[in-house]
Amino acid sequence: MPAPKNTVRRSLLVASAVLMSTALTAPAASAAPKPSTTPSATPPAQMSVVGGARLGRPGTQVNLASGVPVLPKELSSRSWIVADAESGEVLAAHNAHWRLAPASTLKMLFADTLLPKWPRTTKHKVEVSDLAGVGAGSSMVGIKEDETYTVHDLWLGVFLRSGNDAVHVLSAMNGGVKDTVKEMNAHAEELQALDTQVVSPDGYDAEGQVSSAYDLTLIARSGLQKKDFREYCSTVRAQFPGETKKNKKGKKVRKSFEIQNTNRLLSGDFDVPVYQGIAGVKNGNTTNAGATFTGVAERDGKVLLVTVMNPRKNGSNEVYKETARLFDWGFKAAGKVEPVGELVPPKSAEQASARPGPSASPGEAGGAGAGSKPVASAPASSGTDGVGVALGIIGGVLVLLAGGAFLINRRWPLPDLVRRRSRP
């Protein structure tokens, strides 16, 4: 029998989260552990309790009972979380609020913050200064100075190749890295991702730059409200503009080259098969962070989010293997396990829930609004592998549940995420 919904328990969790988020944003929050990129051996004894008191405890948090499957044995990650993407229920977690270096999973926050800024057809000619400050050894998509790219090209570079060069160009378009970091931190606070501190917009290792499995899951959930975010994070391969060169006849030509998504659960690898129902979202890997990953997948109408940070077991694809095991567990446990906490809504959603009338979701890139025409599925953009764009869009634009219904039911609606077609 599915676990009954306990409205009283949910209301108490919401109230607790709101009170704690207020406390954490007050001056007293300075008592929290100082952010550092140097990984510690053990999690702090006390961590944030946003989303529920149990999520602030070190170690594994799960309500095992009769009929609930046992958690996978081979889990070596410092931190992980399994959550229902729509209801926000946290099914199980391990050191959920441990503040760790996020690597390129932080690009989810970058995208969620900046995606609505420009239509995808906007063009930008890259200047030398746009690429200043890209860290040594950064992942790159191959942007060249004095070449013109569309915003669509740049976002493909961010999501598929995790290109720090693409991040820096978009940041330059946004007024510079400093302004972009400021906006990202403000957006993290709006999402109640209070473990997160942004120093570099691309996730490159920087002193004091941290996030948590809980926060990265909140950020992914927010990003998935945006049509463009869903499309980019689910794209397997695309064509990217190359460098302008002269051919044998002396004519200037600019050819494209193929880029593939580095999310191995989406694209597959020699020891990692494509995960059935996967739809994104973002992976990362740096010296200090190790491997990090947040994924979203659908099975039998259930949509789950899983975040895994820094597996200690050796193997280049271990983060994907542990994510797949947690997804498998989550789909078996959904409806049977009593949640240990929940993903809190953004501050603006909480405020809107106290007022009558509908509240629109964050705008799509290019200015999509409430009057957008409904479409059946995300179209394959020019130069993009349509098979990789598998996230359906129901009704065109998502709308947050209105009034008290959001607070009571705690549902943040997602589209028909992944009726994913098989790939050749």
Side-chain angles (χ1 to χ4, degrees), residues 70-83:
V70 177
L71 284 166
K73 293 181 180 179
E74 297 181 1
L75 296 175
S76 67
S77 298
R78 292 176 182 271
S79 175
W80 54 259
I81 191 170
V82 182

Side-chain angles (χ1 to χ4, degrees), residues 108-191:
M108 294 188 297
L109 179 60
F110 175 78
D112 195 36
T113 304
L114 265 63
L115 259 172
K117 297 257 182 178
W118 314 279
R120 60 172 60 198
T121 54
T122 300
K123 294 182 179 181
H124 177 76
K125 186 175 182 180
V126 176
E127 300 178 5
V128 176
S129 59
D130 294 349
L131 298 172
V134 176
S138 287
S139 53
M140 311 277 268
V141 68
I143 289 173
K144 303 296 182 181
E145 62 189 66
D146 296 325
E147 294 285 5
T148 298
Y149 300 86
T150 65
V151 164
H152 175 64
D153 295 329
L154 296 172
W155 283 120
L156 286 172
V158 170
F159 277 91
L160 273 66
R161 297 303 303 172
S162 202
N164 289 4
D165 48 355
V167 170
H168 277 257
V169 172
L170 286 163
S171 295
M173 293 173 63
N174 190 52
V177 167
K178 184 177 180 180
D179 287 349
T180 299
V181 166
K182 184 178 180 180
E183 288 184 33
M184 289 173 67
N185 280 318
H187 189 51
E189 185 175 346
E190 150 65 15
L191 295 179

Side-chain angles (χ1 to χ4, degrees), residues 95-415:
N95 302 325
H97 280 291
W98 193 357
R99 305 179 81 188
L100 299 167
S104 286
T105 47
L106 195 65
K107 288 183 173 76
M108 294 188 297
L109 179 60
F110 175 78
D112 195 36
T113 304
L114 265 63
L115 259 172
K117 297 257 182 178
W118 314 279
R120 60 172 60 198
T121 54
T122 300
K123 294 182 179 181
H124 177 76
K125 186 175 182 180
V126 176
E127 300 178 5
V128 176
S129 59
D130 294 349
L131 298 172
V134 176
S138 287
S139 53
M140 311 277 268
V141 68
I143 289 173
K144 303 296 182 181
E145 62 189 66
D146 296 325
E147 294 285 5
T148 298
Y149 300 86
T150 65
V151 164
H152 175 64
D153 295 329
L154 296 172
W155 283 120
L156 286 172
V158 170
F159 277 91
L160 273 66
R161 297 303 303 172
S162 202
N164 289 4
D165 48 355
V167 170
H168 277 257
V169 172
L170 286 163
S171 295
M173 293 173 63
N174 190 52
V177 167
K178 184 177 180 180
D179 287 349
T180 299
V181 166
K182 184 178 180 180
E183 288 184 33
M184 289 173 67
N185 280 318
H187 189 51
E189 185 175 346
E190 150 65 15
L191 295 179
Q192 303 201 62
L194 304 180
D195 298 325
T196 300
Q197 181 64 42
V198 182
V199 178
S200 177
D202 49 21
Y204 191 82
D205 285 336
E207 186 64 31
Q209 181 155 273
V210 289
S211 190
S212 66
Y214 182 87
D215 279 14
L216 292 173
T217 309
L218 278 187
I219 292 164
R221 192 183 186 211
S222 175
L224 289 166
Q225 304 301 305
K226 295 178 172 64
K227 173 178 175 286
D228 286 350
F229 189 104
R230 296 192 300 270
E231 178 185 330
Y232 289 127
C233 80
S234 68
T235 299
V236 178
R237 61 184 66 88
Q239 292 296 311
F240 193 82
E243 188 175 4
T244 301
K245 296 180 179 179
K246 288 184 179 181
N247 61 15
K248 293 179 180 179
K249 296 181 179 180
K251 184 180 179 180
K252 289 184 178 181
V253 293
R254 190 182 187 190
K255 295 182 179 181
S256 297
F257 58 93
E258 184 177 276
I259 57 174
Q260 293 188 346
N261 202 312
T262 54
N263 171 358
R264 298 309 180 196
L265 290 187
L266 189 70
S267 60
D269 204 359
F270 71 98
D271 61 343
V272 178
V274 173
Y275 191 83
Q276 185 63 39
I278 193 70
V281 285
K282 191 71 190 74
N283 56 311
N285 198 319
T286 65
T287 301
N288 286 330
T292 60
F293 180 65
T294 297
V296 62
E298 183 270 350
R299 184 180 297 173
D300 298 327
K302 182 67 68 175
V303 184
L304 298 182
L305 279 163
V306 171
T307 295
V308 170
M309 300 186 76
N310 197 351
R312 283 165 281 191
K313 187 175 179 180
N314 292 330
S316 59
N317 287 325
E318 184 61 26
V319 71
Y320 303 110
K321 295 176 182 179
E322 296 194 15
T323 298
R325 295 185 195 114
L326 287 169
F327 267 130
D328 288 343
W329 176 85
F331 286 122
K332 292 176 183 177
K336 300 175 183 177
V337 65
E338 186 72 13
V340 294
E342 63 183 352
L343 302 176
V344 296
K347 289 180 179 179
S348 59
E350 285 186 335
Q351 294 165 359
S353 70
R355 300 191 301 268
S359 175
S361 68
E364 306 291 352
S372 297
K373 182 179 179 181
V375 291
S377 62
S381 302
S382 175
T384 305
D385 181 1
V387 176
V389 183
L391 303 186
I393 316 300
I394 289 181
V397 173
L398 302 176
V399 179
L400 294 176
L401 290 181
F406 186 89
L407 210 57
I408 295 172
N409 296 322
R410 303 294 296 113
R411 295 186 69 84
W412 193 353
L414 291 171

